[in-house]
């Protein structure tokens, strides 16, 4: 054992959920260890202005909000560590976390590893994330009032994003690489019936224009049937192609749903074959496929922390 001390709690993830859990467990004198993971700060770290987090009437930059939370957590005794979880063994007591170069043991575990937005993966898109390219309509739609934008995707989440964005944008172009849609009939019909939503099928985004200006100016689109390329001028691009929960390493150790999100009971309790796994809790986007907001992630992080406190009290910490 490379680390001879057993931690009271380890938190996986340093987004809104993990850091809220860290603040609560640190104030309970549990000296939490927060493993930052491959996306330190989570999705807020690639968000620009956050206007819907309570307490910031003028809004706050996503990275600044995360930095404030980190300072708050460390002030109370949380330890942050840049590390990536290689594997985990939840069948052992205490739990065993393999970080590659070292092994950590802990009595309780809060999984707040989040979900990563699926991106197209083209360089121009990556360069403009937070500058007109977004994966969250409810977070960023307001910034596109009176402008023309596009949504990429063909499932229910793309239809929901497009319909929501019509509250702000004057025109929403929905781009789908196929002629067929994965969306449910009712969602597709609703989107098609909306006068401000235009459909472009059999079409892919080859390039997002505006990298030099650091502001989305349009899209270079290509019809995959005809190979015809054209430019669509607009001010924003939203990705509606889903999220990838960061929970693969827990497969067969706790219950995941068909899309890989952690299944929880009573808000944050993890299960295996429907039975609660004592001492393991999940919070934030890794178990919340519905809301995916900073404030809901923070809320479940608080819940998980309170359950950790209760668990350790009951098990004679």
């Amino acid at each position: 054992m490379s680390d001879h001390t057993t931690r009271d709690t380890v938190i996986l993830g340093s987004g809104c959920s993990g850091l809220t859990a860290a603040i609560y467990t640190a104030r309970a004198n549990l000296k939490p260890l927060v493993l930052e993971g491959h996306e330190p700060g989570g999705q807020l770290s690639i968000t620009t202005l956050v206007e819907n987090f309570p307490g910031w009437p003028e809004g706050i930059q996503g990275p600044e909000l995360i930095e404030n939370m980190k300072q708050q957590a460390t002030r109370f005794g949380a330890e942050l560590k840049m590390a990536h979880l290689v594997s985990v063994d939840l069948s052992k007591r205490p739990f065993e976390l393999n970080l590659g170069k070292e092994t950590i043991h802990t009595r309780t575990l809060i999984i707040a590893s989040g979900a990563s937005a699926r991106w197209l993966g083209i360089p121009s898109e990556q360069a403009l994330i937070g500058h007109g390219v977004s994966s969250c309509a409810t977070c960023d739609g307001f910034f596109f009032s009176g402008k023309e934008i596009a949504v990429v995707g063909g499932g229910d989440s793309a239809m929901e994003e497009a319909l929501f964005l019509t509250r702000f944008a004057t025109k929403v172009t929905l781009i789908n690489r196929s002629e067929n849609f994965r969306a449910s009939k009712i969602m597709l019909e609703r989107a098609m019936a909306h006068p401000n939503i235009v459909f472009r099928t059999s079409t892919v985004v080859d390039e997002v224009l505006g990298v030099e200006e650091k502001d989305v100016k349009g899209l270079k689109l290509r019809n995959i049937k005809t190979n015809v390329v054209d430019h669509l001028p607009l001010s924003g691009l939203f990705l509606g192609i889903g999220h990838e929960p960061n929970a693969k390493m827990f497969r067969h150790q706790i219950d995941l749903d068909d899309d890989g999100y952690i299944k929880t009971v009573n808000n944050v309790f993890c299960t295996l074959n429907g039975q609660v796994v004592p001492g393991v809790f999940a919070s934030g986007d890794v178990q919340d496929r519905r809301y995916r907001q900073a404030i809901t992630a923070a809320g479940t992080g608080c819940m998980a922390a309170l359950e950790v406190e209760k668990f350790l009290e009951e098990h004679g910490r």
Side-chain angles (χ1 to χ4, degrees):
M1 194 190 290
S2 58
D3 180 2
H4 296 289
T5 58
T6 297
R7 294 271 179 175
D8 279 323
T9 193
V10 171
I11 298 164
L12 300 179
S14 56
C16 243
S17 187
L19 292 174
T20 302
I23 291 165
Y24 272 79
T25 51
R27 290 190 75 247
N29 202 28
L30 299 179
K31 298 180 174 56
L33 173 65
V34 181
L35 302 180
E36 297 217 44
H38 68 284
E39 281 182 17
Q43 292 190 64
L44 274 188
S45 61
I46 56 167
T47 305
T48 47
L49 192 64
V50 179
E51 289 193 314
N52 55 9
F53 200 89
W56 300 96
E58 304 301 318
I60 182 171
Q61 294 292 317
E64 188 187 351
L65 181 57
I66 286 294
E67 187 54 38
N68 288 352
M69 287 186 179
K70 283 184 181 178
Q71 288 179 19
Q72 196 172 352
T74 52
R75 178 187 155 214
F76 292 119
E79 181 189 340
L80 270 66
K81 186 180 181 73
M82 285 299 296
H84 183 61
L85 187 66
V86 176
S87 63
V88 59
D89 191 343
L90 300 180
S91 66
K92 291 184 175 174
R93 291 285 187 278
F95 305 127
E96 194 171 276
L97 309 179
N98 172 17
L99 306 184
K101 289 180 179 172
E102 64 177 311
T103 300
I104 288 174
H105 295 81
T106 181
R107 294 180 181 91
T108 62
L109 181 65
I110 295 175
I111 304 165
S113 47
S116 302
R118 290 196 184 105
W119 302 100
L120 299 174
I122 52 180
S124 54
E125 167 211 49
Q126 295 295 302
L128 288 165
I129 291 170
H131 299 278
V133 173
S134 171
S135 63
C136 181
T138 47
C139 312
D140 299 327
F142 177 79
F143 301 120
F144 296 91
S145 295
K147 297 179 178 178
E148 295 190 5
I149 58 170
V151 173
V152 175
D156 275 355
S157 57
M159 303 304 145
E160 280 173 25
E161 299 250 305
L163 286 161
F164 177 82
L165 289 164
T166 58
R167 300 180 191 185
F168 311 103
T170 52
K171 179 183 172 188
V172 178
T173 302
L174 211 148
I175 300 163
N176 191 31
R177 67 176 301 122
S178 166
E179 281 186 357
N180 304 313
F181 294 89
R182 296 188 322 279
S184 57
K185 189 166 180 278
I186 187 167
M187 287 304 296
L188 184 59
E189 285 173 353
R190 203 175 286 167
M192 285 183 154
H194 199 289
N196 293 358
I197 298 178
V198 176
F199 282 75
R200 290 280 299 261
T201 56
S202 304
T203 299
V204 292
V205 178
D206 273 354
E207 190 182 347
V208 186
L209 308 173
V211 173
E212 280 84 38
E213 298 95 325
K214 269 286 182 192
D215 196 21
V216 171
K217 299 296 180 191
L219 301 177
K220 182 181 171 186
L221 299 176
R222 178 170 50 87
N223 185 298
I224 57 173
K225 286 187 168 178
T226 63
N227 260 344
V228 171
V229 171
D230 69 310
H231 288 182
L232 177 67
L234 43 70
S235 303
L237 174 66
F238 285 80
L239 280 298
I241 50 180
H243 288 74
E244 194 76 49
N246 302 316
K248 285 190 180 75
M249 72 283 274
F250 296 105
R251 196 170 294 283
H252 308 305
Q253 302 207 54
I254 55 175
D255 294 328
L256 308 180
D257 71 13
D258 291 343
D259 294 320
Y261 286 88
I262 295 175
K263 288 184 180 180
T264 50
V265 295
N266 295 334
N267 299 309
V268 293
F269 288 76
C270 293
T271 59
L272 179 61
N273 301 323
Q275 300 296 309
V276 167
V277 180
V280 184
F281 307 94
S283 62
D285 288 13
V286 75
Q287 54 89 237
D288 171 21
R289 57 188 305 152
R290 187 174 177 88
Y291 300 107
R292 291 199 296 262
Q293 299 300 301
I295 193 66
T296 51
T300 53
C302 164
M303 293 177 203
L306 294 175
E307 294 299 347
V308 159
E309 281 181 56
K310 193 164 182 287
F311 177 87
L312 290 169
E313 273 171 29
E314 288 172 356
H315 292 79
R317 174 187 172 251

